[in-house]
Amino acid sequence: MEKLLALYRKYREPINYLIFGGLTTLVSLGAYALFVEACGLGILAGKALSWVCAVTFAFITNKLWVFFSAGKDAKTILREALGFFASRAATGVVEFAGLPLLMRLGLDQPLFGVEGFAANIVVTVVVIILNYILSKFLVFRKKKDA
């Protein structure tokens, strides 16, 4: 057990990112399925609304429990939120373009009875990787010591 704790301490940030990234993915996929199946929205509208839900959840968890951003003042929170949402908007373009592109390329079969779900999973994996890079090196980067 001590070895596991030591590994966790050493790799806390990427482990927490994967955990909360997984939860963010569940929020996104669950919201997508809800909006498309339960609400009857089209795949792009469902994707847009699920994206808003997931990005909001991701900002809170990344700030507090992944990158442990110490900034609590309004200016820092606003800067981080704007940077976070802007970086997510950039990767959102990847999602919005990638989903129909993958469906046109043949990944259009339903999964679990939900249209576009398989393509949505593939796009989501690519976006998770891009989001980590942008969050770590742009949004929540640590200030260098003077």
Side-chain angles (χ1 to χ4, degrees):
M1 186 60 149
E2 191 58 40
K3 287 183 181 184
L4 285 176
L5 286 173
L7 275 174
Y8 174 75
R9 284 185 204 106
K10 184 175 181 179
Y11 299 107
R12 178 182 66 186
E13 184 179 284
I15 289 170
N16 285 355
Y17 185 80
L18 288 174
I19 290 167
F20 288 109
L23 291 172
T24 300
T25 300
L26 291 176
V27 167
S28 178
L29 296 175
Y32 176 82
L34 176 73
F35 292 131
V36 171
E37 288 301 307
C39 298
L41 298 177
I43 60 168
L44 292 180
K47 188 64 184 168
L49 290 173
S50 71
W51 181 84
V52 170
C53 293
V55 171
T56 301
F57 177 82
F59 174 70
I60 294 166
T61 58
N62 276 247
K63 179 172 179 52
L64 298 176
W65 299 301
V66 175
F67 299 106
F68 298 96
S69 174
K72 305 271 189 265
D73 60 287
K75 183 179 176 183
T76 300
I77 292 169
L78 182 61
R79 180 188 53 78
E80 289 175 343
L82 290 174
F84 193 84
F85 276 82
S87 68
R88 291 313 193 265
T91 59
V93 170
V94 172
E95 285 190 89
F96 280 99
L99 182 62
L101 176 65
L102 286 176
M103 290 180 70
R104 273 189 240 116
L105 292 174
L107 195 58
D108 58 351
Q109 64 281 1
L111 186 61
F112 306 118
V114 179
E115 180 186 1
F117 208 67
N120 193 16
I121 290 172
V122 172
V123 167
T124 299
V125 169
V126 170
V127 167
I128 287 172
I129 294 166
L130 291 172
N131 284 340
Y132 178 79
I133 292 167
L134 292 171
S135 290
K136 178 160 180 70
F137 297 108
L138 294 177
V139 177
F140 298 112
R141 68 177 179 261
K142 307 286 187 228
K143 291 182 181 180
K144 294 182 181 181
D145 293 332

